[in-house]
Structure formats: structure tokens, C-alpha cells
């Protein structure tokens, strides 16, 4: 059951928390940078948390982007395996999200980007209400067949860098089909974050499945 579903009916409404995980280089930060203006264009009040091993590099990148008020971007340093602070003990991320909600009472949605991890990376439901896993075609079209927990369990699987498929010998249609099969028909969306392709479909899904807007 999601964190939002466990909120008491008489408790203050909290922001939806959406995790974004995936291997190093799959395009998680690029996805965040595309989602920010797309969500804002629909009037959604957002904030961002990034996770890195021992730096705040991704947070600084988002702050410098000019896409969002830098004060709305927080950084968490995992200091260990990236999945530790999003799954085993998500306290640091929960505290960061709670602090953003205190500072910005109107925030509706918080994006939580994990540090780069492997296919076993998953998010705790104590931390997120919805989470997506990002893979890219350059990593190989066999990724879905490996059935990693990130691929199987995520609420949404994003296959990024689809423009590279013909250059790296990937059969994109087969990769998408096999991903849908191993996920039992649960959502799989294709993106090219460099060109902004596929972003609106993700925002549509978040509005419908997370913010419950029709």
C-alpha cells in the first residue's frame, strides 16, 4: 500500500513522492530536467531531491539549469550503496522531503532521483507513492530479459535514448515487447530525453495515477 493511501483522512494533505531509479548513465537527471517544465506547464507545484554517493553534483546541475527555484532542490548523500537510502533506510530522503513540504506548503509532487544503481534497485513504499525505473537502449536490449527487480517491480519502466537503437544494434520493438511481457503488461514508455520525446506521456500517467487528475 502506498504512503498516500496510509494517510489519515483528517491529516494534512502531503505531496506525492515519485522515485526515479536506474543504472548510471541511463538518463535519470535528464528525465528530471525534462519533467520539471512539463509538470510546471500543467500547474503542478513541484520540488526535487537528488541522491549521490558523496557529492551533490546532480542537485547542483538541476539548480543551475534555471528550470526551478534552486531552493526547491535538495541533495542527499548516500555515503554507501545508492539503494541503501531509498530502500533499506530511507530516513534521509524522508526527512529531506518533509523539510521541502515545510518550506513550500503548496508543493504537490516531489521527484526523488536515486543515485545510479544496478537492476536490483527498488524504492521503499515508506518513501515513495510511485516510482519509475529508467534503462537505456545503449545498455543492451537484453536488460528486460534479465528480469531485475527494478525492471519488474517499478510502477513505470522508462526505456530512454531510443534514438540510439539503430546505432547500437538494438531491436527497439522487441525490447519494448519483452519489457511489457516480463512486467505483465504494466506500463512501459519510450523516451528520448535529449529531444524531449515521450515526456508528455509520462506526465499524463503521473497526473492520472499519482495526482488522480482526470
Amino acid at each position: 500500500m502506498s504512503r498516500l493511501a496510509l494517510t489519515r483522512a483528517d491529516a494534512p494533505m502531503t505531496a506525492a513522492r515519485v522515485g526515479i531509479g536506474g543504472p548510471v548513465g541511463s538518463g535519470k537527471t535528464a528525465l528530471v530536467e525534462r519533467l520539471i517544465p512539463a509538470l510546471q506547464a500543467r500547474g503542478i507545484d513541484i520540488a526535487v531531491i537528488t541522491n549521490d554517493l558523496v557529492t551533490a553534483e546532480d542537485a547542483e546541475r538541476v539548480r543551475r539549469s534555471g528550470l526551478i527555484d534552486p531552493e526547491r532542490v535538495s541533495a542527499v548523500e548516500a555515503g554507501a550503496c545508492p539503494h541503501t537510502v531509498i530502500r533499506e533506510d530511507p530516513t534521509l530522503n524522508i526527512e529531506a522531503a518533509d523539510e521541502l513540504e515545510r518550506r513550500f506548503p503548496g508543493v504537490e509532487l516531489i521527484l526523488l532521483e536515486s543515485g545510479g544503481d544496478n537492476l536490483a534497485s527498488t524504492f521503499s513504499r515508506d518513501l515513495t507513492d510511485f516510482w519509475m525505473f529508467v534503462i537505456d537502449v545503449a545498455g543492451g536490449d537484453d536488460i528486460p530479459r534479465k528480469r531485475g527487480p527494478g525492471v519488474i517491480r517499478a510502477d513505470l519502466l522508462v526505456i530512454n535514448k531510443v534514438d540510439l537503437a539503430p546505432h547500437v544494434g538494438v531491436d527497439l520493438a522487441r525490447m519494448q515487447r519483452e519489457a511489457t511481457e516480463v512486467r505483465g503488461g504494466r506500463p512501459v514508455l519510450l523516451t528520448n530525453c535529449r529531444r524531449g520525446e515521450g515526456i508528455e506521456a509520462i506526465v499524463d500517467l503521473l497526473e492520472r495515477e499519482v495526482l488522480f487528475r482526470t
Side-chain angles (χ1 to χ4, degrees):
M1 183 176 291
S2 75
R3 185 187 59 85
L4 282 180
L6 292 172
T7 302
R8 295 195 335 269
D10 60 344
M13 187 61 185
T14 59
R17 300 177 184 183
V18 174
I20 300 175
V24 174
S26 59
K28 297 182 299 299
T29 306
L31 176 58
V32 169
E33 290 174 332
R34 287 294 185 176
L35 285 173
I36 289 171
L39 290 163
Q40 291 173 332
R42 301 198 191 188
I44 300 169
D45 193 328
I46 65 173
V48 176
I49 297 171
T50 68
N51 284 250
D52 275 309
L53 187 60
V54 291
T55 71
E57 184 173 340
D58 285 344
E60 290 302 324
R61 170 177 163 176
V62 176
R63 288 169 182 152
R64 290 193 305 266
S65 70
L67 297 169
I68 189 172
D69 176 358
E71 294 298 317
R72 287 176 171 262
V73 181
S74 294
V76 170
E77 294 184 21
C81 292
H83 57 252
T84 301
V85 291
I86 64 169
R87 187 176 66 207
E88 277 81 12
D89 182 7
T91 304
L92 290 175
N93 276 286
I94 291 173
E95 290 176 348
D98 288 347
E99 175 60 19
L100 283 168
E101 289 191 42
R102 285 191 291 268
R103 289 164 52 203
F104 302 99
V107 68
E108 298 173 83
L109 188 150
I110 299 174
L111 298 174
L112 296 105
E113 179 194 347
S114 170
D117 211 332
N118 56 38
L119 300 183
S121 176
T122 59
F123 280 83
S124 167
R125 288 299 184 185
D126 291 331
L127 173 61
T128 58
D129 306 293
F130 183 100
W131 64 281
M132 61 187 83
F133 196 75
V134 184
I135 60 176
D136 71 281
V137 298
D141 58 9
D142 60 341
I143 292 178
R145 296 196 299 274
K146 292 180 179 179
R147 295 173 175 264
V151 172
I152 299 295
R153 298 179 189 171
D155 297 300
L156 167 66
L157 179 66
V158 176
I159 301 177
N160 190 32
K161 304 183 185 179
V162 295
D163 55 312
L164 297 182
H167 305 291
V168 293
V170 165
D171 183 335
L172 184 59
R174 185 180 69 181
M175 186 177 184
Q176 182 181 19
R177 182 177 64 252
E178 291 178 345
T180 302
E181 289 172 355
V182 301
R183 287 176 50 76
R186 296 161 71 202
V188 177
L189 294 176
L190 307 182
T191 59
N192 173 0
C193 287
R194 291 191 65 183
R195 298 177 64 89
E197 297 168 356
I199 301 302
E200 292 301 323
I202 295 177
V203 177
D204 287 342
L205 189 148
L206 293 177
E207 279 204 297
R208 183 177 64 252
E209 301 296 331
V210 180
L211 298 175
F212 307 111
R213 296 182 178 181
T214 57

